Amino acid sequence: MWVVVVLVLSSLVKPEAVVNRDSSYPTEDACKAAIAKNVPAKLDAKHKEAVEQGYRRYVCIRVPADAAKPKT
C-alpha cells in the first residue's frame, strides 16, 4: 500500500510531514498519478507556488499493509 506524504521544511520551524490518511493506493504509480491529478487542482495560489519552487513536496511512501489496520 502507498500513501501521499506532504513534506515542508522551513528555516524558522521544524520540518513538517503530513500523511494523507484518507486515501491509499495499491502501487507507487497509482499514488503518483493521484498526486499529478489532484494536487494542482486543490491548492491555493500560495501553495501552488511553494510546490513549483520546491518548498513543498508531495511524495509517495510505501506503508506495510498491517500498519493501516486500526489498533484495538
Side-chain angles (χ1 to χ4, degrees), residues 49-62:
E49 184 177 0
V51 169
E52 291 167 0
Q53 294 180 353
Y55 293 109
R56 173 182 286 256
R57 296 286 177 159
Y58 291 78
V59 297
C60 295
I61 301 290
R62 192 168 197 173

Side-chain angles (χ1 to χ4, degrees), residues 3-7 17-20 31 35 57-61:
V3 296
V4 175
V5 177
V6 182
L7 300 172
V18 178
V19 178
N20 178 353
C31 182
I35 291 172
R57 296 286 177 159
Y58 291 78
V59 297
C60 295
I61 301 290

Side-chain angles (χ1 to χ4, degrees), residues 31-47:
C31 182
K32 288 179 178 180
I35 291 172
K37 177 183 175 187
N38 296 313
V39 170
K42 294 182 179 180
L43 294 179
D44 61 25
K46 177 183 173 184
H47 290 114

Side-chain angles (χ1 to χ4, degrees), residues 3-21:
V3 296
V4 175
V5 177
V6 182
L7 300 172
V8 181
L9 297 176
S10 173
S11 60
L12 301 176
V13 295
K14 64 182 179 179
E16 181 180 351
V18 178
V19 178
N20 178 353
R21 297 175 187 265

